[in-house]
Amino acid sequence: MPGRNEGTDRSCPVCSGPLGLGDSGPDALVDALQASESRFRAAFADAGIGMALIGSDDRIIEANPAFAAMIGHEAPNLVRTHIHEIIDPEDNPRRLYLELVRGERDRLRVEKQLKHREGHAVWSNVTISLIRDGAGQPMYTLAMVEDVTEQRLLGDQLAYQAMHDPLTRLPNRTLFFERLNALFGPGQLGDAAGDLGEVGYPGDAGDAATEPVGAVELDGLAKLDGLDGLDEIADLVGLVDLPDLTTLPGLTGPDEASGPDDQGKRVGLCYLDLDGFAAINETLGHHVGDELLVAVAARLEHGFARGDGRLVARLGGDEFAVLVCDSDGSAQLTELATELVKMLEEPFDVAGQQLAVTASVGVVERRIVETTPTDLLKDADATLYWSKADGRARWTLYDPDRGAHQLTRQRLATALRPALERGEFTVEYQPLVGLADGTVHGAEALVRWRHPRYGTLSPDRFIPLAEESGAIVPLGKWVLEESCRQAKLWLLEFPEAETFVSVNLAARQIWDSDVVADVAAALKLTGLPARLLQLEITESAVLGPGGRPVQALQALADMGIRIAIDDFGTGYSNLAYLSRLPVHVLKLDGSFIEGFRDPAPGGRPDSRFRRTDADEQIVGAMVQLAHALGLTVTAEGIENASQAERLRLTGCDTAQGWYFARPGEAERIAAILREGRVRSA
Ligand code: C2E
Ligand code: MG
Ligand code: MG
């Protein structure tokens, strides 16, 4: 019979079992037997490959040193060892083993995990042969075992690495796109790439689908009955139930992938980006940034990953995505986005400190047949950008009308640096007016992007992007130089006026250690005296993410530059603390002034004006406190005469707003200086 060792040694090559070697004379037979046995014994003992002979009671009869070493034992000690001591009895006998039992095959090859004495797993390729007696009855099993742990681990690792982010261990971009493409039907990737669970995580052992295809028939079709007591050997070989090869649909385009023919299926995507992550990374160091990303990833995965239905992936940097593979509709997605934003608001314990972060989320939800993976991503990206532009820490649902008119965040961000080189930015100036006498004390420099296609873009559209991408550093430097140059021109034309320029500094610029050098260079280059430069910094930027004040502030103040806290009242508003820093000016946020309305008729306040009164009292108290602490106060957003008058009564020093002048060309400031006064307040 093909594949049988008929006519030669039918018994164990290493044990002296019954032999059926024909009819030579007894002495010759014994000699031949001894010679043969010692040859086989030497081959067995010296073999580089692990070998073990297993009896029908599932105990090892003999193992060679190579096998013993593989699992951390001495060969003699393995004798009588039950196979369950070196292999988990996790698998039930399966079809292939039963075929072996029935004699339909003589050998099997499987990949199997063995237990090393020290506890770790040893992956092995095991070839099992039945050894029969002269009558063809099964006697023993000979296992030949090859250690493939390294290849196996490498293979796992490569598959894992290709699909997962090494830092957070979340599915990566590749896996995300694979999954997304799979949703849109076969043909995109050519296989059932949607089955995320089947990409092996090390440690996911035990999932049959992650095991390499298990058993390969080598040879043997001998019919063999009466194999009792060998069931347990199935545990050793751990036979994997192979699908019937003849019914496999082929490796490409399995039928079960959800296709576009399913008209009603919907998909949803929450595309998330942490706010101000770049600043955290820069200020607290990359290791803290990394830890934060890991913590965010863990929270997202724990809260939102749901098997095959939902995928949480890290798309890069501080961008994450939650893909909802079978969405119920936009309400489900917006609910999810609400949870996302809320869940991330809880502070993170990172590197021994509490870090508060927020996230902006773009939400897109639609029928699969109406979109493509590319469009879904593009629109999610644009929507994320709207969330950022609308003030961060929020989600925004895709709005097709808005989408048609908006640039994608990506396009803007990448266009920033070249635009700076092409000279597409300009600075407008808005007067800062003394409330006591209506004269212009200085002007705030406000940058604009004269985009060749999209017209003039306001800083809210691109400053956050510039901060994230780092383009704020060259852009901010340019604004600084340009503003100093302008202020120097005002000084030359109106030496008496001492008009200062007030330049906004972004957090990232301040934490950049070069800011002091950059400012000094700008002053030197333009010849502007330091006393005519004011720098506006937000409260949160002064304190920094770790709550530490900025060292650079002191250096700048020592140079004679004035430091203003911008948008005061929107952050921590810790006046007592700020007054201990080298800060000179508070710029009250426009929201305080919004509540300043016309006084009540007849001068008697009624309930409708309580809000006004409260705002006035708050502003009044802040002004007094600031003055007591040696700070001057500027109010932003003054839009009408009444606000200006009420503000003047609070004792506020200077004001800025459309009532006096909108931001405009530098020449407007010169014209006002020539006139002497903006308006009488
Ligand atoms: P900000 O520093 O608080 O600037 C004041 C903003 O209020 C300006 O908006 C100004 O045009 C606007 N504004 C002035 N008067 C009124 C008013 O009466 N009513 C109302 N509703 N708004 C008024 P803009 O120019 O769009 O700038 C927005 C923000 O962009 C600025 O807020 C500042 O934070 C940032 N920014 C502008 N230029 C630069 C820059 O060169 N560097 C950096 N880092 N940030 C800048
Ligand atoms: Mg400002
Ligand atoms: Mg402001």
Side-chain angles (χ1 to χ4, degrees), residues 430 432 444 446 460 504 536-540 564-573 575 578 585-596 611 615-616 618-620 622-623 626 632-639 643 647 650 652 654-657:
Q430 188 176 29
L432 295 154
E444 178 172 4
L446 295 159
D460 289 336
N504 292 283
E536 297 189 12
I537 298 168
T538 62
E539 233 176 318
S540 54
I565 299 299
D566 202 356
D567 305 335
F568 182 78
T570 57
Y572 308 97
S573 307
L575 206 48
L578 284 176
V585 180
L586 288 189
K587 288 192 77 176
L588 291 189
D589 189 67
S591 54
F592 286 105
I593 313 307
E594 264 170 35
F596 281 35
R611 164 89 205 281
D615 280 336
E616 277 185 38
I618 290 168
V619 172
M622 279 201 289
V623 170
T632 60
V633 183
T634 300
E636 297 182 69
I638 312 305
E639 294 184 354
Q643 285 172 333
L647 186 67
T650 66
C652 182
T654 43
Q656 170 184 8

Side-chain angles (χ1 to χ4, degrees), residues 296-442:
V296 167
R299 206 177 273 184
L300 290 178
E301 190 173 39
H302 182 254
F304 300 100
R306 302 267 187 292
D308 274 2
R310 275 195 220 165
L311 173 75
V312 175
R314 180 180 178 209
L315 299 188
D318 58 342
E319 288 177 16
F320 297 87
V322 181
L323 180 67
V324 179
C325 299
D326 196 359
S327 158
D328 290 348
S330 53
Q332 185 197 4
L333 265 286
T334 54
E335 245 170 60
L336 193 144
T338 309
E339 272 178 63
L340 268 173
V341 170
K342 211 168 129 210
M343 186 177 266
L344 291 177
E345 271 169 7
E346 288 287 308
F348 288 87
D349 279 321
V350 166
Q353 52 195 316
Q354 287 229 317
L355 281 189
V357 283
T358 57
S360 302
V361 186
V363 185
V364 183
E365 200 281 336
R366 55 184 64 155
R367 289 200 318 160
I368 287 177
V369 284
E370 287 165 352
T371 192
T372 64
T374 315
D375 281 348
L376 195 74
L377 254 290
K378 185 168 68 61
D379 293 342
D381 185 64
T383 315
L384 169 57
Y385 167 69
W386 301 341
S387 281
K388 293 267 182 197
D390 293 350
R392 304 173 170 206
R394 70 193 59 219
W395 58 261
T396 306
L397 182 64
Y398 183 73
D399 167 0
D401 292 338
R402 192 172 174 185
H405 300 291
Q406 294 277 352
L407 291 166
T408 66
R409 199 173 73 101
Q410 196 64 34
R411 280 161 72 193
L412 269 186
T414 51
L416 269 164
R417 282 176 198 260
L420 182 61
E421 277 156 30
R422 284 196 301 269
E424 288 176 12
F425 292 92
T426 57
V427 180
E428 289 190 342
Y429 300 89
Q430 188 176 29
L432 295 154
V433 181
L435 282 169
D437 59 4
T439 60
V440 170
H441 292 189

Side-chain angles (χ1 to χ4, degrees), residues 472-483:
I472 192 68
V473 174
L475 177 61
K477 210 168 144 191
W478 178 82
V479 171
L480 188 69
E481 276 176 22
E482 180 63 22
S483 308

Side-chain angles (χ1 to χ4, degrees), residues 141-346:
T141 306
L142 176 66
M144 285 186 284
V145 188
E146 188 190 356
D147 186 344
V148 293
T149 308
E150 255 175 53
Q151 294 98 300
R152 165 85 190 203
L153 290 181
L154 189 67
D156 278 355
Q157 210 178 335
L158 290 178
Y160 181 83
Q161 277 171 1
M163 294 290 180
H164 291 82
D165 164 44
L167 178 68
T168 62
R169 298 172 69 92
L170 282 185
N172 65 8
R173 248 188 129 72
T174 311
L175 184 44
F176 172 81
F177 280 104
E178 199 165 288
R179 184 66 188 271
L180 183 63
N181 283 325
L183 276 181
F184 283 77
Q188 306 259 8
L189 276 169
D191 66 7
D195 287 336
L196 294 168
E198 308 209 350
V199 175
Y201 280 77
D204 266 3
D207 176 356
T210 65
E211 298 225 13
V213 171
V216 179
E217 180 182 350
L218 294 181
D219 60 18
L221 291 166
K223 184 78 194 147
L224 206 148
D225 294 310
L227 261 186
D228 295 324
L230 283 181
D231 277 12
E232 297 276 16
I233 293 176
D235 295 336
L236 171 66
V237 299
L239 297 175
V240 178
D241 209 357
L242 271 187
D244 183 350
L245 291 171
T246 58
T247 63
L248 264 186
L251 290 177
T252 55
D255 296 331
E256 32 332 323
S258 51
D261 39 300
D262 195 349
Q263 299 279 312
K265 271 200 129 186
R266 305 183 71 90
V267 61
L269 176 64
C270 287
Y271 186 19
L272 177 155
D273 184 289
L274 300 183
D275 300 324
F277 177 73
I280 291 182
N281 229 358
E282 295 235 324
T283 54
L284 299 180
H286 285 255
H287 64 287
V288 176
D290 282 357
E291 275 190 46
L292 178 64
L293 288 176
V294 171
V296 167
R299 206 177 273 184
L300 290 178
E301 190 173 39
H302 182 254
F304 300 100
R306 302 267 187 292
D308 274 2
R310 275 195 220 165
L311 173 75
V312 175
R314 180 180 178 209
L315 299 188
D318 58 342
E319 288 177 16
F320 297 87
V322 181
L323 180 67
V324 179
C325 299
D326 196 359
S327 158
D328 290 348
S330 53
Q332 185 197 4
L333 265 286
T334 54
E335 245 170 60
L336 193 144
T338 309
E339 272 178 63
L340 268 173
V341 170
K342 211 168 129 210
M343 186 177 266
L344 291 177
E345 271 169 7
E346 288 287 308

